[in-house]
Amino acid sequence: MANEKIERVRQILQGKGLDVILFFSSENLLYLSGYTGGEGILGIAEDEVWLFVDFRYFEIAQEEARDCEVRLLKKGLKEVREFLRERNFKKIGLEAKAITLFEFEQLHDPAFDFMPLSKELEALRVKKTPEEIRLIKKAVEVAENAFKEILKVVKPGIREIEIAIELEYQIKRKGSESLPFQVIVLSGERTSLPHGVPSEKVIKEGELLLFDFGARIGGYASDETRTVFLGEVEPELKRIYEIVRKAQQNALKVIKAGLSFKEVDEAARKLIEDAGYGNFFGHGTGHGVGLAVHEYPSLSPDSEGELEEGMVITVEPGIYLPQKGGVRIEDLILVKKDGVEILTKLDHHIQI
């Protein structure tokens, strides 16, 4: 499998007329070599592959990295620059979204012709193999089992941060290797913050609770959001909940291989706009999930591209009313030739 992945990189190499492509993200280091250390640089050329790591990661890289030569860095990126110069490489592709300006300055050499690569590399991981899908499904199962434990203890009088800490603990206790992102637990008017941070706020009867959470298995992430009713909530919040639910169902009904990213977003967004809440839905309808919790594609009004069979994406419309409250429902789905397989299994309507 690793050889096949590297060969796909070499097709990009040849198509762009490059001598070597350098990867910097932990996700691509894992995907292309099996190395889990996170920090390092992977170089793929026509006939050779190298993984550069410093002393802290050298032993584990030697144990884990497949189909590549592991090289010990003693002088940082300047040493990589010298290595490339010795190989007489001129045209060098860079994983543009993962290299910092500082790192680029250390690599820079007048003899090199750098080419930033983004979409070309994003496409490498977009279609999931059966094994990748199995790992994502397991991550979903772990996260949902943890969430079910949390629902047993949620009650008025508990702080958001207490619930978040317990949820994170349960996710790890159930088997997650790490947290793919910081758990979001928001209540009341704070649910209008799409990516708010759990606070000292005490939750109250009659409020909405918003949970955004996931797990990681074999490097692969899950991502799911549920909006929970703590008792009876006011009519407008019930109304926007139903609008979001229907918007998500609209999107799920149309999704299949070949549909444009824009069309998925439009299927959810139009219903929200027609209900008069378009100005309160300010993010895309979904995104890809895999080794990174946010990866290609993005499902938004200006996204370019089409769904492919084997993509794993979120569908997560929302409405956020400042100082009042917000609703988001997020499911993880597998794109099929003629529809979807919904990977997340929790009920949508949850009332405590």
Side-chain angles (χ1 to χ4, degrees), residues 304-322:
E304 298 293 337
E306 294 182 348
L307 294 175
E308 298 179 55
E309 188 173 8
M311 285 182 171
V312 173
I313 60 173
T314 66
V315 181
E316 51 177 304
I319 296 175
Y320 310 92
L321 306 180

Side-chain angles (χ1 to χ4, degrees), residues 133 136-145 147-148 181 211-215 221-226 248-249 252 289 312-316 329-335 340-348 350:
I133 293 166
I136 292 170
K137 286 181 175 180
K138 181 62 178 176
V140 169
E141 179 185 349
V142 166
E144 293 190 337
N145 285 340
F147 183 70
K148 290 173 185 176
F181 56 92
F211 296 85
D212 193 340
F213 57 97
S222 68
D223 188 8
E224 184 170 0
T225 302
R226 288 295 182 266
Q248 192 206 40
Q249 290 301 310
L252 291 172
V289 176
V312 173
I313 60 173
T314 66
V315 181
E316 51 177 304
I329 301 172
E330 176 183 22
D331 282 298
L332 198 57
I333 67 131
L334 172 64
V335 178
V340 303
E341 178 185 347
I342 300 175
L343 305 182
T344 38
K345 305 299 183 184
L346 290 173
D347 290 342
H348 285 168
I350 303 172

Side-chain angles (χ1 to χ4, degrees), residues 83 116 119 128 152 201 209 299:
F83 177 86
K119 290 183 179 179
K128 304 302 189 282
K152 298 175 184 177
K201 181 186 174 301
L209 302 178
L299 309 178

Side-chain angles (χ1 to χ4, degrees), residues 157-175:
I158 301 177
R159 294 173 297 154
E160 291 173 355
I161 191 67
E162 290 180 277
I163 301 171
I165 290 170
E166 182 63 22
L167 180 52
E168 290 181 351
Y169 166 72
Q170 289 292 343
I171 289 170
K172 290 184 177 181
R173 185 172 181 270
K174 298 292 184 183

